[in-house]
Amino acid sequence: MAFVDPKSGRRRTTSTGLRHDVPTNSKLALELARKRSQDAIALKPILDQSKWSLWAPQELKQRYGQPSQRKTLQRYERCYRALELWFAERSIIGPAQLNANSASDYVRWRETNHPRRSGKFATRNTALLELKCLSVLLERARKLGFIDVNQVHRHGIKRGDIEEKPEISDHESKLIRKELAKRRVQWMTDCFEVGMHQGCRLSETSMPLTWIDVERRVITFQIKGGKIKATALHPGLIPLVRRRRSEGAARLVDLAPMASKEWWLFFREIGMPHLCFHCTRVTVITKMARAGVAEAVAMAYVLHSSSLVHKIYQRLGAADLGSAVAAINSPRPLSAR
């Protein structure tokens, strides 16, 4: 049958699945073609209005435009750039063209297309984050009347295994400090010390110096979600705070524009590709667990709100379990029973 394609407005032909040698099927085929063309004509104005480029980028900026949500906006804008490539390859010009299989199709496409500079493809969890961004946009599209159902909400695709970030050993930390001293990149040296003393995230190392009270030993961070929270200032950072103030600096660390990428390159150049800056957070949390610091106290120090997330960061091994073995006092040897 011939019908009007809503994407291009051109006439196209496709099989109806009906046998041509059955007289009654000819009339039925014409009726199917007429209905499909009418549906396409009715849908075209909606498709024109709902083109992603006309509203999606602006929606993200409006939704996450507050200064406290700057990182969220940047993350979702990166997600949207990946989605745009998929839209282009699949000729999806608006949300009405998505269906129940779109989520699984996107994950497959993301895991096998457009490798990064490193040669690796995006992980499943990256694809799921991008689908979360798409779901946010589709909820808005539903309210605008472009669609009736959010086709990627509750898609049921399970997350992939997360690669655990290791603890930085004492030997590794010495080598890292030695390499940083050799390179004389001050912001990286300062950044590493803040991470190894406070266990904070990379972006959190660049807090305003006005958020640090040396006398009271309090340091304030802007954590995930834009929340402002205070914790104890490690005494080992006091010399850094005083030096930065004497330099007239506004922030404790002046991060490079692509700080995460700089650290990624640094660890590979020094032969430690298994590490990343976030390993400093793992190291601090593991050291506190190894020293017997109460979980509530450790969570307050690194500003973790979830004990489940906090436990994920601990890297205790068999060598750290001596106290657990000693605490299990059996009244007599098993062989004597």
Side-chain angles (χ1 to χ4, degrees):
M1 68 174 177
F3 66 97
V4 178
D5 184 355
K7 298 179 188 177
S8 61
R10 297 175 182 175
R11 286 175 61 82
R12 293 187 61 188
T13 58
T14 186
S15 171
T16 61
L18 301 172
R19 289 178 60 89
H20 71 279
D21 55 350
V22 178
T24 56
N25 282 353
S26 297
K27 186 176 180 181
L28 184 57
L30 286 172
E31 200 59 40
L32 286 172
R34 188 179 298 112
K35 186 177 184 307
R36 187 157 183 179
S37 294
Q38 287 173 346
D39 291 344
I41 291 167
L43 181 63
K44 194 173 188 303
I46 298 174
L47 283 172
D48 289 342
Q49 295 172 30
S50 68
K51 286 180 180 177
W52 301 107
S53 58
L54 296 180
W55 63 277
Q58 294 83 348
E59 170 62 21
L60 292 177
K61 285 186 173 68
Q62 185 175 349
R63 187 181 182 93
Y64 304 108
Q66 298 297 322
S68 61
Q69 295 179 301
R70 179 177 57 86
K71 294 174 193 171
T72 303
L73 176 59
Q74 291 173 345
R75 182 166 63 250
Y76 272 19
E77 284 180 333
R78 285 195 297 270
C79 291
Y80 182 70
R81 286 195 290 272
L83 289 165
E84 279 187 309
L85 293 172
W86 180 62
F87 294 153
E89 289 195 14
R90 295 289 190 267
S91 299
I92 301 171
I93 62 174
Q97 293 170 276
L98 297 175
N99 56 48
N101 296 321
S102 294
S104 55
D105 176 62
Y106 181 76
V107 172
R108 284 193 299 271
W109 175 87
R110 194 69 171 97
E111 290 179 315
T112 56
N113 285 270
H114 305 288
R116 299 168 178 168
R117 191 179 298 177
S118 63
K120 294 182 179 179
F121 292 100
T123 64
R124 168 164 295 207
N125 294 340
T126 297
L128 292 182
L129 174 63
E130 290 158 0
L131 282 179
K132 183 180 177 182
C133 172
L134 179 57
S135 182
V136 167
L137 292 173
L138 291 181
E139 279 303 302
R140 180 59 180 165
R142 190 173 61 82
K143 291 176 182 176
L144 290 171
F146 298 152
I147 53 173
D148 296 322
V149 180
N150 182 343
Q151 294 282 12
V152 303
H153 182 58
R154 299 194 178 187
H155 45 66
I157 303 172
K158 293 183 179 179
R159 288 173 60 85
D161 294 332
I162 300 174
E163 186 178 346
E164 285 191 347
K165 294 177 175 61
E167 175 190 7
I168 299 174
S169 69
D170 291 341
H171 176 65
E172 286 173 332
S173 66
K174 287 178 183 176
L175 291 176
I176 290 167
R177 287 185 170 102
K178 185 178 178 181
E179 284 294 329
L180 288 171
K182 249 197 270 184
R183 293 170 183 240
R184 296 183 181 179
V185 182
Q186 194 61 56
W187 76 264
M188 293 187 81
T189 301
D190 296 344
C191 190
F192 185 72
E193 294 306 326
V194 176
M196 290 295 283
H197 284 84
Q198 295 292 155
C200 57
R201 300 173 184 88
L202 177 57
S203 60
E204 295 168 0
T205 63
S206 184
M207 85 289 294
L209 285 168
T210 53
W211 290 10
I212 304 172
D213 189 333
V214 173
E215 301 305 320
R216 292 174 52 230
R217 301 284 176 89
V218 174
I219 185 168
T220 303
F221 293 98
Q222 183 175 13
I223 61 172
K224 277 185 176 180
K227 295 178 182 177
I228 307 296
K229 288 196 175 183
T231 186
L233 171 66
H234 194 288
L237 291 182
I238 292 176
L240 170 59
V241 175
R242 287 176 175 160
R243 173 172 65 77
R244 292 292 288 163
R245 283 178 174 163
S246 68
E247 293 170 352
R251 295 182 172 272
L252 184 60
V253 177
D254 293 324
L255 289 177
M258 297 182 69
S260 180
K261 185 70 172 180
E262 293 288 338
W263 279 110
W264 184 87
L265 289 170
F266 170 78
F267 284 118
R268 275 147 187 77
E269 287 170 1
I270 66 172
M272 299 182 188
H274 59 291
L275 297 180
C276 65
F277 184 83
H278 207 66
C279 293
T280 60
R281 188 168 175 82
V282 173
T283 304
V284 168
I285 292 170
T286 303
K287 282 185 174 181
M288 287 191 289
R290 190 175 290 125
V293 176
E295 185 181 273
V297 175
M299 285 176 62
Y301 185 74
V302 297
L303 302 175
H304 262 158
S305 57
S306 165
S307 60
L308 180 62
V309 172
H310 188 75
K311 285 184 175 69
I312 291 171
Y313 280 79
Q314 296 175 15
R315 298 291 180 271
L316 298 179
D320 303 308
L321 305 180
S323 58
V325 174
I328 305 170
N329 295 318
S330 178
R332 52 182 174 166
L334 291 174
S335 59
R337 295 182 187 180

